[in-house]
Amino acid sequence: MFEKFTDRARQVVVLAQEEARLLRHNYIGTEHVLLGVADQGDGPAAAVLAEAGLTPEAIRAEIETTIGRGVEPPSGHIMFTPGVKKSFEQAMREAMKDGSGKIAPAHLLLSILRQGDCAAVLLITKMGHDPQRLGARVSELGTAEPAPPPAVTRTLSAAAGSAVAPVAGLVRAVPALDRYARSLDEAARLGKLNPVAGRDEEIGRLIRVLSRRTRNNAILTGEPGSGRLAVAEGLAQLIARGEVPQNLKTKRLYVVEFGLIAAGASGRAEAEWRVTSLLTSIRERGDVIAVTEELAPFAGMPGDHGGVLGAFVRSALERQELQLISTATPPVLGEQLARDPRLAAVVQRVAVEAPDVSGAVEMLEATRLRFAEHHHVRIDPDLLNVVVSLAAELGTLPASALDLLDEACAGAGESGVLGESDVRDAVARLRDR
């Protein structure tokens, strides 16, 4: 399929594929191809998008708002949507029309802009731009490509089952931090995080650890469901409001998807290149605190190729080029630190215990209005005691209570008021799940 693509056009497809993985989408749509064009940063196609303010960050944010992120990272090959296949066919016609005979990124962008009803065009229109005017601007600038960058070979995954030759001249146009991580404090500034209550002590301890000169990396220890990551989210909200010590006011929290780095690497060399790119990006920024779950870089995940991630991340922690917040259960952390004394020398524990009933009620009260607004129901504050009492039998608080409240609201009747019967019905459904 890709023998008629220039190297830079194949780069767009690679970038589109990785954007889809980053967004946890199990398909490659025209919106991902649009993002891949913007990711390149040079050439006429990317220039037209940049002129219009359609930056990778803006497009990615609109995709997350309009389409959303997936739940699980996709595994195996990611298929092209019919819209993308149609755009490839149209791009070939565009290339034949101008006599080049090879599909360039500008041809890909033109083919998308001229579809009219694809996801990318709908996003562009929603963002306040005229696809026809953008297409005219692409035609005006032409399809000539800039000189190829220094050669870096990369194999494009066999999307849709098609074998593709290595791509010469491929560089990662998107900073590795943006590719493999998402900004937690930016999500806080946009109001996308749930309010955090009842965790002042844990957040205070986390702030003290991060403020230290040495051993300033924190492991939030507790059972799954106890709200460990919520402590990091609480810190992100304090940073967004400027309510942290001076040395943390300029810090930025990023949730790093180490699984994406490992899963997409074709071999040890590429895994090393990916993690080095990420750590270089973090070091150059100088203000990043990486957030991850379950000791991800040290967990020996599939595709890690002999512990590459853990070795590189541990060295960065020792050189104080990286600050890290992670989570772990107490037994797992104990085993890991016993095996890895070098890691033990650079991290500290922050205990996150499951709340009691009154604490869990306080946490639910903080998010009650969010659930009510989302589900368009009224939730009586007194009902939260019932939710927590029943949720305690289902799993660890507060996660089990939040899950039960969400399920109960989703199944609430047309009265628009959440009742105890809705909660008990939700308990039965969750037990059968």
Side-chain angles (χ1 to χ4, degrees):
M1 178 189 293
F2 297 99
E3 64 274 4
K4 294 294 185 180
F5 283 53
T6 66
D7 284 343
R8 298 188 71 85
R10 282 192 272 173
Q11 179 188 23
V12 168
V13 180
V14 170
L15 293 170
Q17 181 185 53
E18 295 199 2
E19 290 288 2
R21 288 190 184 279
L22 180 63
L23 290 162
R24 299 188 173 188
H25 293 167
N26 59 1
Y27 64 92
I28 301 173
T30 55
E31 64 272 30
H32 303 117
V33 177
L34 175 68
L35 194 44
V37 172
D39 280 345
Q40 279 195 317
D42 57 2
V48 168
L49 295 178
E51 284 176 2
L54 293 168
T55 62
E57 294 77 16
I59 297 170
R60 197 178 295 117
E62 189 60 40
I63 290 174
E64 291 198 26
T65 299
T66 304
I67 300 173
R69 293 171 62 90
V71 177
E72 297 287 341
S75 58
H77 300 321
I78 307 179
M79 307 295 285
F80 294 124
T81 64
V84 168
K85 294 178 181 178
K86 181 180 176 181
S87 72
F88 288 168
E89 294 170 0
Q90 178 61 32
M92 189 69 250
R93 287 192 287 270
E94 297 288 347
M96 297 298 291
K97 189 188 303 182
D98 68 17
S100 63
K102 283 275 193 177
I103 295 175
H107 297 129
L108 291 172
L109 181 56
L110 275 173
S111 69
I112 288 173
L113 295 173
R114 291 173 177 170
Q115 274 201 51
D117 60 349
C118 64
V121 166
L122 295 176
L123 287 171
I124 290 171
T125 303
K126 186 180 177 186
M127 295 171 77
H129 298 281
D130 184 347
Q132 292 186 350
R133 289 188 179 181
L134 293 176
R137 181 61 174 150
V138 174
S139 298
E140 179 184 338
L141 292 180
T143 59
E145 298 183 353
V152 178
T153 300
R154 159 78 195 263
T155 301
L156 174 63
S157 292
S162 300
V164 182
V167 181
L170 173 59
V171 294
R172 201 171 297 279
V174 181
L177 184 62
D178 293 331
R179 179 163 304 286
Y180 299 120
R182 56 186 173 87
S183 173
L184 201 58
D185 47 289
E186 181 65 20
R189 273 187 281 274
L190 295 174
K192 293 183 176 181
L193 301 182
N194 284 329
V196 177
R199 291 300 187 191
D200 291 349
E201 182 178 339
E202 291 85 351
I203 294 172
R205 166 68 174 150
L206 177 60
I207 288 174
R208 291 193 296 275
V209 170
L210 296 175
S211 297
R212 286 175 53 113
R213 184 172 177 272
T214 59
R215 289 189 72 196
N216 53 3
N217 306 285
I219 310 298
L220 304 170
T221 61
E223 295 304 316
S226 61
R228 297 167 299 177
L229 195 57
V231 174
E233 292 179 350
L235 174 60
Q237 292 173 52
L238 291 180
I239 291 175
R241 297 197 298 266
E243 299 174 3
V244 289
Q246 190 64 38
N247 62 331
L248 293 182
K249 284 189 175 180
T250 59
K251 293 294 185 179
R252 297 292 175 260
L253 270 59
Y254 278 82
V255 177
V256 180
E257 303 282 1
F258 282 101
L260 283 177
I261 298 177
S266 58
R268 183 182 179 90
E270 186 176 0
E272 289 183 359
W273 175 64
R274 285 180 170 216
V275 71
T276 300
S277 297
L278 172 68
L279 295 176
T280 299
S281 182
I282 290 174
R283 185 178 66 247
E284 290 174 349
R285 281 283 302 269
D287 61 354
V288 173
I289 298 175
V291 180
T292 187
E293 294 189 73
E294 306 302 341
L295 298 173
F298 311 102
M301 61 188 65
D304 192 4
H305 301 283
V308 168
L309 296 182
F312 278 69
V313 170
R314 185 188 305 105
S315 295
L317 293 174
E318 290 174 331
R319 293 192 301 269
Q320 296 190 335
E321 296 174 350
L322 171 69
Q323 270 192 285
L324 181 73
I325 299 172
S326 191
T327 65
T329 62
V332 169
L333 179 61
E335 293 171 6
Q336 180 66 43
L337 297 185
R339 290 194 305 267
D340 191 348
R342 289 174 59 192
L343 180 62
V346 294
V347 302
Q348 295 198 56
R349 305 172 192 237
V350 176
V352 181
E353 301 293 340
D356 57 19
V357 170
S358 63
V361 169
E362 180 186 359
M363 293 175 183
L364 252 63
E365 175 58 36
T367 60
R368 177 175 61 87
L369 294 180
R370 289 286 184 95
F371 281 110
E373 181 180 358
H374 178 82
H375 291 285
H376 304 288
V377 298
R378 186 169 66 82
I379 306 172
D380 190 323
D382 293 337
L383 187 61
L384 299 182
N385 287 285
V386 176
V387 173
V388 171
S389 297
L390 293 173
E393 303 172 6
L394 297 175
T396 304
L397 296 173
S400 61
L402 291 166
D403 189 37
L404 176 56
L405 182 60
D406 199 9
E407 179 68 22
C409 290
E414 297 180 359
S415 66
V417 178
L418 186 69
E420 183 174 337
S421 61
D422 296 314
V423 177
R424 294 189 180 279
D425 289 344
V427 169
R429 291 195 299 270
L430 291 174
R431 280 178 172 155
D432 292 339
R433 189 168 64 184

